[in-house]
Amino acid sequence: MSRVFACFFTWCLVSSTSLFAQPAAATGIDARLSAVEAAAKTAQISGDNAWMLTSAALVLMMTGPGLALFYGGLVRRKNVLGTMMHSFALMAVVTVLWAIYGYSLAFAEGNPFIGGFSYFLLNGVGSTPNADYGATIPHQTYMIYQLMFAVITPALISGAFAERMKFSAMLLFTCLWSTIVYFPMAHMVWGKGGFLNAFLGGKVPCFDFAGGTVVHITSGVSALVCALYLGKRVGFPREAMKPHNLVLSAVGACLLWVGWFGFNAGSAVSASGLASSAFVATHFGASAAALGWMFAEWARHGKPSMLGGISGAVAGLVAITPASGFVKPFPALLIGFLAGIFCFYMVTTVKSKFGYDDSLDAFGVHGAGGSLGAILTGVFATNAVNDGLKDAAGKVLPLGLVDGHPGQVLNQAIAVVISFVLAIVGTLVILKIVDALIGVRITTEQEVAGLDVSMHGEEGYSLEA
Amino acid sequence: MSRVFACFFTWCLVSSTSLFAQPAAATGIDARLSAVEAAAKTAQISGDNAWMLTSAALVLMMTGPGLALFYGGLVRRKNVLGTMMHSFALMAVVTVLWAIYGYSLAFAEGNPFIGGFSYFLLNGVGSTPNADYGATIPHQTYMIYQLMFAVITPALISGAFAERMKFSAMLLFTCLWSTIVYFPMAHMVWGKGGFLNAFLGGKVPCFDFAGGTVVHITSGVSALVCALYLGKRVGFPREAMKPHNLVLSAVGACLLWVGWFGFNAGSAVSASGLASSAFVATHFGASAAALGWMFAEWARHGKPSMLGGISGAVAGLVAITPASGFVKPFPALLIGFLAGIFCFYMVTTVKSKFGYDDSLDAFGVHGAGGSLGAILTGVFATNAVNDGLKDAAGKVLPLGLVDGHPGQVLNQAIAVVISFVLAIVGTLVILKIVDALIGVRITTEQEVAGLDVSMHGEEGYSLEA
Amino acid sequence: MSRVFACFFTWCLVSSTSLFAQPAAATGIDARLSAVEAAAKTAQISGDNAWMLTSAALVLMMTGPGLALFYGGLVRRKNVLGTMMHSFALMAVVTVLWAIYGYSLAFAEGNPFIGGFSYFLLNGVGSTPNADYGATIPHQTYMIYQLMFAVITPALISGAFAERMKFSAMLLFTCLWSTIVYFPMAHMVWGKGGFLNAFLGGKVPCFDFAGGTVVHITSGVSALVCALYLGKRVGFPREAMKPHNLVLSAVGACLLWVGWFGFNAGSAVSASGLASSAFVATHFGASAAALGWMFAEWARHGKPSMLGGISGAVAGLVAITPASGFVKPFPALLIGFLAGIFCFYMVTTVKSKFGYDDSLDAFGVHGAGGSLGAILTGVFATNAVNDGLKDAAGKVLPLGLVDGHPGQVLNQAIAVVISFVLAIVGTLVILKIVDALIGVRITTEQEVAGLDVSMHGEEGYSLEA
Amino acid sequence: MKKIEAIIQPHKLDDVKEALKAIGIDGLTISEVRGHGRQKGHKEVYRGMEYQIDLLPKIKVETVVTDARLDEVTRALSAAARTGKIGDGKIFIYDVLEAVRIRNDDTGEAAL
Amino acid sequence: MKKIEAIIQPHKLDDVKEALKAIGIDGLTISEVRGHGRQKGHKEVYRGMEYQIDLLPKIKVETVVTDARLDEVTRALSAAARTGKIGDGKIFIYDVLEAVRIRNDDTGEAAL
Amino acid sequence: MKKIEAIIQPHKLDDVKEALKAIGIDGLTISEVRGHGRQKGHKEVYRGMEYQIDLLPKIKVETVVTDARLDEVTRALSAAARTGKIGDGKIFIYDVLEAVRIRNDDTGEAAL
Ligand SMILES: Nc1ncnc2c1ncn2[C@@H]1O[C@H](COP(=O)(O)OP(=O)(O)O)[C@@H](O)[C@H]1O
Ligand SMILES: Nc1ncnc2c1ncn2[C@@H]1O[C@H](COP(=O)(O)OP(=O)(O)O)[C@@H](O)[C@H]1O
Ligand SMILES: Nc1ncnc2c1ncn2[C@@H]1O[C@H](COP(=O)(O)OP(=O)(O)O)[C@@H](O)[C@H]1O
């Protein structure tokens, strides 16, 4: 309420000033100008902050209930709560890490690979905008918005170890993974001075608007490592392990889609034309990918399925994520369509060829789709959409291949490789540690009984009358 | 991020300018004024764009998961995915049509009945606002916001042919229907120079704030035509075809209600007082209609039901849609209440009298409610709420009957008739074509097995432990 | 649309003015200044209104589908619709009361305990901001935003009388309760001149940012009274009354969490830095409380559960509600953590000690959590977060104990006591009246058959193929 | 007394209920089951994993009747459930030693 | 050995379970069924379509017991399930030729 | 003809189906049940209320076979369902008086 008063006060001032503007014209005009300049600035902050707070809420909604439902519907009934718990618990746990040191390690200035401790305990993160990250929103808004990304990323991994990981091990794994993989990667790509940060002084300028490398490649690749390390579920692949409730998954996918507008368009850190452009690209990518996957299925199996449609939409959202603030609408459609077909191929042909049990296809969708999107960003990024990259003289620079800058594809590839290496090495080390300390996999009895009963002592449904 | 910089830059400019304002006072003041004028304009865009992007996300949420759940819960278990697929697939398919030519046919200048091709392939639809449609938001925002309307409209029709239409036929039907019925109708009512556009030069000025004619009458009437053309479901009305999961429908209805704020208040194309007024009217209309339907049921059957409550809410939202930006709160309550009772009467007495199988009452709710709302808009529209209609001299004109302009009721009736005719003729022709090409109805075996298995090769629930 | 034109018009004016600024410099500059001052003001309203409309939608989403799902999942299958109906019906009923006299009794100026009738029938509640409540948003926005609070509060109570209250009695009870308990309490704490209003002239200045006393204590305490008055459910506690569908409850809890950002950050009545601060506190409180409850369970029962996690999150959200606009992030974490443990203790140890049947723990979570939060607000409130309280000379005053103002804890305690007394006395009187008029409890036959069949004549699920 | 247990197609339940009602059989109990027989199931593919769905949804109808009415009821039930296609189902007949009406401890045929 | 099959009101399940436990009957299997008998159902109206709901939710309790305990168990079960109102349900008794404990192939009464 | 009714652990259903298929038994009907026996259940705590969950999910498999194949099928089924742990379940054998194929009114062993 205080801001309201402040603002009201400003207007009173402005109005009253204008009453005796005649006598001391110059001073009066100067004061009115300063007042209105401040007022315009405050108004700018309100507009952008309105969108960014909405976006932060949307991104949280992606994890819970979005991802919780999407994954929860895909597992067997006896694991539905255990699977939703992976997403839910991370909403709480990662928040605490972030408050203590996570935001600092990711976004405080440090070296090119990891941030420093200047924002330890959120020290200095208040209402005043941080001009580097968002000149027109309170720094706290940026902090909480970025937290929502840090929450969903490890939650995505849980699709790979679904139905067989110990709950305590999942918590410990996530704390270590966030610290060792996510915070450094976020710093490299988005942190000031990060190695791959194209806009704030990185050595290898990579374009990753909303997290193709930081979020999707790291989580998808780590997921594959987890799937291989934990081994197959008891009975896989002989036993039928059908999704127990595709209605839940469809609802989850729709909420992911809606929430993704906050994820991508929010990454403009303002309610500007760039946000609108990212919003359009996001929607177009998701749509084309849903069609791509469905048509591929239709051609291969004779029927397009709901599971195919929603898997495709998610694949498209993943692939358009790094590109969303850099590409025009029709390239967005193309990126989505390719992602739909490519990820379909990955989770069908490739997965069954290698035979790993990536239970809910975290790698096939996020790892593969994220990599494709990161590379295609290097192809289709254009300064007609995003004029943020300028040389010393202020001249807008070309972005991707279509702008006549083929080298960007290489930069993107470097970022992809770094993400892969960090994810593989980091995840392996962390799994070894967690396994040694408390063990990562549940017993066969627990697995047969299901996570809900064995880990949480409860059941998802008691549908008896 | 670029906008952030731009904006920050502006402020640096503003601040620095003021430092040497003394020496060259006039010029300095002029520059500061120009800068702050630009800043205020940018701030205005941020505020309005924040609300419009949120609204676009809300309207998409109405289709998925909103409508998908609402309809999905009302059908039998074996058709749940097939029914949700109608909504979901249209999110993808209509998007592609819209990108290629749909937006152009609806909103580019053309003749009074159909738009031209100037926005073909979204040519020229960028960040710069289109002053005719929304002077304070990026043109892309307006385009994507209107797309969400184009998505939900054909999805509403699917309530009528639920549980018996071929998936491929549904896709083809929708592509043709959007092209032949929706895009022209949207152009007539909302497009610049459209025949019924009251604010941008239409011959017959019709008030349809958010789509009573364009969205609800066209879809509801087309739904009735579909229901009659496809015939009854196997076993109707002898067999029990109870909603399989009213919990899903209740959730869907609530999400429709919440999303409808984006639909109606977003139609102000700004976060202005008009948006607030439309928001209030929307909520009041929904509330009164839920009560109206429930009380009608209570009186007739002795018990108010959840299905009645949610059906009423949707009926009220439909009826208030054309009126929402033109009427005061208490007329909104009245319109809602009447809609609740009228639609209850339509889906109970009238439907069973004529015996058609409008499976999920798309006509009884959207056709009937939309028509009622369109007419009552002519009664209750007032320039105390919306002063957008002015004569050449800038004088605000009276709107509806309550403003002393009874002729408006006739204008509204003309629009209703046009919508009916276009929907009936268009839908019939399209059904004939699709039927001739690929057949519209599934076989009895497929119908008995259910859409999920026969069309999509999957099942909604596998609830075995 | 009209606002868009108005705004566009302003800009034309501004631009054209600047053309002939040279000849009549002073006048020209004055006109431009006035125009840009108005433009900045309009922009400010758009930004703040964008956030407040979004917040209003989010708070409605908390009731439906949020709370409807949360409570609906916790009851037995035969009561799922009846339970959801409590939330749903109140969305409609309270709206009508609010429109007629509720808003007036709560927010019109009156005496310290109840508002007057100046806003009767929403008279005078239009686009013009009400400077007392929100200088930068349309008055209608404030009215509809506050309505959403009035809707959810009685819905919360329904957790206590779940599975055994007559639907008609529930409706009558709510109408009386809103009138006798909620509207006065809202006036006392938030209404201009209210007895406890710290910012608008209250005798005992209480800090309740978003409704710890008004919403949670009143509803939680009234819930306990209802539970005691209605008596236990048939078979309680001998019979197993497990939640029938924890998936629904988990989804509901997540939607409550997301919607709560509108509840708390929206209570800043602007998209300012204070809103961001409240957003952060809300998220931190929820996270820490989810962990607190889960750890308490883990320690006590050997397993952390999904029900525990979501109960904790809600408890944290409740406790942080009064504090959210006054405390820093780390105190928010602490308040949440304490609330998680305290409410766990209340719904396990305390409830089973006293043996009352507060079916869904409305008292244990909202009553207990709200009281804890209200007191801790007095401890941790600081003017470093909220500088809204000033003395006559404009000096910012200290807020809570941490600011060196221990007396505030006492003020908070007084507000808690007033809420308890009003809730207990009011609810008891209302229950007696309703019981005498129509009876509050259903028959044993109806209870055994379930609310869905007996009150509403329908069933939640018909999952047969 | 005999128990008639019929496994039928779900969509024939209404027909069966009416046929039994028509000949005065009121007492019956149904349950949802899944069955496998000559009827071929179908293939479902979830993200590249193929499942042969060979357990199809069926309804089991159980009714205990007096020995005298056994044939009549069996015939009526069979006729009502028939579509003539594979998957129509089976009827099995069992002997019932005793029946008790819980409400009043009636036993034997009086309990039916 | 005999199978006791009882169709009871869902809300009497806890009572029945306890009554059986009290007399040392541990082995039992329950399932959800829907039944029709003398008990009148109710009408449900969905958007103007009226449905006569005459198949009401019931629980089927099955327990196989030795011939010696048949009467005792039947009586205990019947008493526990009784409310005295129409719809209380039925008990049917069948002969069991053989029982096998899967775990160790025990057969006959030893397998119960 | 005899009915073999087996109560098995849900996760052994695939094994049982395959074992029966392997010896040429095609006709079978399954249903979801909950059972209680020697197997201890578990405790669930919901908001401080403790529930002893002693009815655990099981699958009931029913197949009617000719007298000649009774032993062979019983043995195959038992072997496939066995894990050797408590809770593996039971098999009960009943006499079947008659079988009818609804599709064409075949009766007796021809109907199986
Ligand atoms: N021998 C059997 N034992 C138990 N159930 C059987 C048996 N044979 C068939 N069934 C049940 O009857 C259903 C229909 O049998 P099926 O062989 O498909 O049809 P049809 O008898 O018309 O050839 C099966 O799905 C199964 O539930
Ligand atoms: N002849 C029968 N065969 C099979 N089940 C029966 C039969 N008669 C009754 N039932 C079952 O018993 C339940 C209770 O029967 P009902 O006639 O309503 O009660 P009551 O025996 O108290 O009159 C029915 O719902 C049905 O499931
Ligand atoms: N006497 C019985 N009557 C009916 N069902 C039984 C009986 N005994 C056991 N069952 C069923 O068999 C299942 C397994 O029995 P249990 O005693 O736990 O295993 P085991 O036979 O290996 O000791 C039970 O859950 C129950 O469904």
Side-chain angles (χ1 to χ4, degrees), chain B residues 30 34 37 44 48 77 135 242-246 254 271-272 274 276-277 283 287 303-307 330 387, chain C residues 1-4 11 14 32 43 46 49 84-85 92 95 121 140-141 453-454 456 458-460 462-463 465:
Chain B
D30 208 64
S34 299
E37 279 162 10
Q44 182 67 48
D48 287 338
R77 183 174 67 167
K242 287 173 53 172
H244 89 286
N245 192 334
L246 278 176
C254 288
S272 59
L274 184 59
S276 301
S277 177
H283 185 69
S287 298
K303 282 173 185 168
S305 72
M306 172 59 95
L307 179 57
F330 277 84
D387 60 359
Chain C
M1 203 144 306
S2 67
R3 238 273 298 99
V4 169
W11 285 112
V14 166
R32 279 177 75 185
S46 277
N49 203 28
M84 296 181 78
M85 261 304 236
T95 298
L121 297 179
Q140 277 196 330
T141 299
V453 163
S454 65
H456 307 295
E458 57 191 347
E459 290 175 287
S462 312
L463 291 173

Side-chain angles (χ1 to χ4, degrees), chain D residues 27 29 64 101 103, chain E residues 7 35-39 58 87-90:
Chain D
T29 302
V64 176
R101 182 189 310 281
R103 170 159 50 94
Chain E
I7 317 289
H36 182 58
R38 299 202 188 177
Q39 188 185 10
K58 303 279 170 189
D88 272 0
K90 302 276 156 87

Side-chain angles (χ1 to χ4, degrees), chain D residues 7 35-39 58 87-88 90, chain F residues 27 29 64 101 103:
Chain D
I7 317 289
H36 182 56
R38 299 203 188 175
Q39 188 185 10
K58 302 280 169 188
D88 272 0
K90 302 276 155 85
Chain F
T29 301
V64 175
R101 182 190 310 282
R103 170 158 50 93

Side-chain angles (χ1 to χ4, degrees), chain B residues 29-30 33-34 36-38 40-41 43-44 47-48 50-51 54 58 61 77-78 131-136 142 199-200 209 242-247 250-251 253-255 257-258 261 265 267-280 283-284 286-288 290-291 294-295 298 303-310 313 329-330 333 385-388 461 463, chain C residues 1-5 7-8 11 14-15 18 21-22 28-29 32-33 36 39-40 42-47 49-54 56-58 60-61 63-65 68-69 80-81 84-85 88-89 91-93 95-96 98-100 121-122 125 127 138 140-141 143-144 147-148 151 167-168 171 244 248 255 453-465:
Chain B
I29 283 169
D30 208 64
L33 258 173
S34 299
V36 77
E37 279 162 10
K41 187 167 185 173
Q44 182 67 48
D48 287 338
W51 173 239
T54 304
L58 284 171
M61 188 184 78
R77 183 174 67 167
K78 62 186 175 187
D132 291 323
Y133 298 130
T136 56
Y142 188 73
F199 298 93
L200 294 168
F209 196 70
K242 287 173 53 172
H244 89 286
N245 192 334
L246 278 176
V247 173
V251 173
C254 288
L255 292 178
W257 189 330
V258 171
F261 293 132
S267 288
V269 198
S270 64
S272 59
L274 184 59
S276 301
S277 177
F279 192 111
V280 170
H283 185 69
F284 281 22
S287 298
L291 292 177
M294 274 164 57
F295 289 151
W298 212 334
K303 282 173 185 168
S305 72
M306 172 59 95
L307 179 57
I310 60 178
F330 277 84
L333 275 175
V385 168
N386 191 320
D387 60 359
Y461 313 93
L463 290 174
Chain C
M1 203 144 306
S2 67
R3 238 273 298 99
V4 169
F5 291 124
C7 181
F8 187 63
W11 285 112
V14 166
S15 321
S18 63
Q22 245 26 356
I29 282 170
R32 279 177 75 185
L33 258 173
V36 76
T42 307
Q44 181 67 49
I45 288 178
S46 277
N49 203 28
W51 173 239
M52 292 310 296
L53 291 180
T54 304
L58 284 171
L60 184 69
M61 189 183 77
T63 306
L69 279 171
V80 60
L81 295 182
M84 296 181 78
M85 261 304 236
F88 183 81
M91 288 162 61
V93 171
T95 298
V96 176
W98 194 251
I100 298 176
L121 297 179
L122 300 181
V125 180
S127 276
Q140 277 196 330
T141 299
M143 180 278 290
I144 199 84
L147 163 56
M148 303 314 183
V151 164
F167 184 65
S168 55
L171 293 181
H244 89 286
L248 299 186
L255 292 177
V453 163
S454 65
M455 293 293 110
H456 307 295
E458 57 191 347
E459 290 175 287
Y461 312 94
S462 312
L463 291 173
E464 297 88 56

Side-chain angles (χ1 to χ4, degrees), chain D residues 2 4 16-29 61-77 112, chain E residues 36-38 54-55:
Chain D
K2 298 288 179 283
I4 304 174
V16 167
K17 263 168 52 189
E18 275 168 38
L20 293 180
K21 199 172 191 178
I23 58 170
I25 295 296
D26 269 343
L28 56 87
T29 302
V61 179
E62 291 167 280
T63 178
V64 176
V65 299
T66 60
D67 293 353
R69 303 202 61 182
L70 175 62
D71 279 3
E72 175 200 5
V73 176
T74 308
R75 263 198 309 275
L77 205 165
L112 297 186
Chain E
H36 182 58
R38 299 202 188 177
D54 44 14
L55 287 169

Side-chain angles (χ1 to χ4, degrees), chain A residues 42-411:
Chain A
T42 307
Q44 181 66 48
I45 288 179
S46 277
D48 287 339
N49 202 29
W51 173 239
M52 292 309 295
L53 292 180
T54 304
S55 292
L58 285 171
V59 181
L60 183 69
M61 188 183 79
M62 289 175 69
T63 306
L67 190 67
L69 280 171
F70 185 64
Y71 277 176
L74 292 179
V75 297
R76 287 166 292 172
R77 183 174 67 168
K78 61 186 174 185
N79 296 314
V80 60
L81 295 182
T83 302
M84 296 180 78
M85 260 304 235
H86 292 161
S87 295
F88 184 80
L90 295 190
M91 288 162 61
V93 171
V94 175
T95 297
V96 175
L97 299 186
W98 193 251
I100 298 175
Y101 63 85
Y103 180 65
S104 195
L105 288 190
F107 288 97
E109 283 189 66
N111 63 47
F113 301 101
I114 185 85
F117 281 95
S118 52
Y119 297 147
F120 187 67
L121 297 178
L122 300 179
N123 180 34
V125 180
S127 277
T128 316
N130 177 321
D132 291 322
Y133 297 130
T136 56
I137 58 168
H139 193 175
Q140 277 197 329
T141 300
Y142 188 73
M143 180 277 292
I144 199 85
Y145 177 68
Q146 284 295 341
L147 163 57
M148 303 313 183
F149 284 62
V151 165
I152 199 171
T153 308
L156 292 171
I157 304 177
S158 70
F161 54 65
E163 310 198 299
R164 59 195 186 283
M165 193 163 180
K166 238 187 227 180
F167 183 65
S168 55
M170 194 278 300
L171 292 181
L172 182 54
F173 172 84
T174 300
C175 292
L176 294 173
W177 190 89
S178 296
T179 307
I180 294 175
V181 178
Y182 187 80
F183 301 155
M185 194 69 209
H187 183 75
M188 278 189 256
V189 178
W190 294 328
K192 189 171 184 186
F195 185 70
L196 298 162
N197 192 322
F199 298 94
L200 294 168
K203 293 257 161 57
V204 176
C206 154
F207 301 147
D208 186 353
F209 196 68
T213 55
V214 182
V215 173
H216 297 291
I217 298 185
T218 60
S219 65
V221 171
S222 298
L224 181 60
V225 175
C226 286
L228 292 170
Y229 187 93
L230 268 88
K232 298 169 189 177
R233 285 168 291 176
V234 171
F236 181 89
R238 200 178 44 81
E239 240 175 73
M241 295 180 178
K242 289 173 51 173
H244 90 285
N245 193 333
L246 278 177
V247 173
L248 299 186
S249 297
V251 174
C254 289
L255 292 178
L256 283 169
W257 188 331
V258 171
W260 225 294
F261 292 132
F263 201 91
N264 286 358
S267 289
V269 199
S270 64
S272 60
L274 182 59
S276 301
S277 177
F279 192 111
V280 169
T282 303
H283 185 70
F284 281 21
S287 298
L291 292 177
W293 190 305
M294 275 164 55
F295 289 151
E297 265 188 331
W298 212 333
R300 171 92 72 90
H301 302 299
K303 283 172 184 169
S305 71
M306 171 58 95
L307 179 57
I310 60 178
S311 303
V314 173
L317 290 162
V318 166
I320 203 64
T321 291
S324 52
F326 300 105
V327 303
K328 293 185 160 187
F330 277 84
L333 276 174
L334 183 62
I335 291 172
F337 192 72
L338 293 176
I341 291 172
F342 178 58
C343 292
F344 169 75
Y345 180 76
M346 287 298 295
V347 311
T348 54
T349 313
V350 173
K351 187 172 72 164
S352 56
K353 195 164 206 161
F354 288 93
Y356 53 86
D357 182 12
D358 177 8
S359 315
L360 314 180
D361 293 307
F363 174 70
V365 171
H366 297 277
S371 303
L372 181 73
I375 300 298
L376 292 180
T377 301
V379 175
F380 292 112
T382 170
N383 55 22
V385 167
N386 191 321
D387 60 0
L389 204 66
K390 304 199 172 89
D391 65 9
K395 216 190 107 222
V396 173
L397 294 173
L399 300 185
L401 182 66
V402 295
D403 272 0
H405 181 235
Q408 188 56 35
V409 180
L410 185 65
N411 290 344

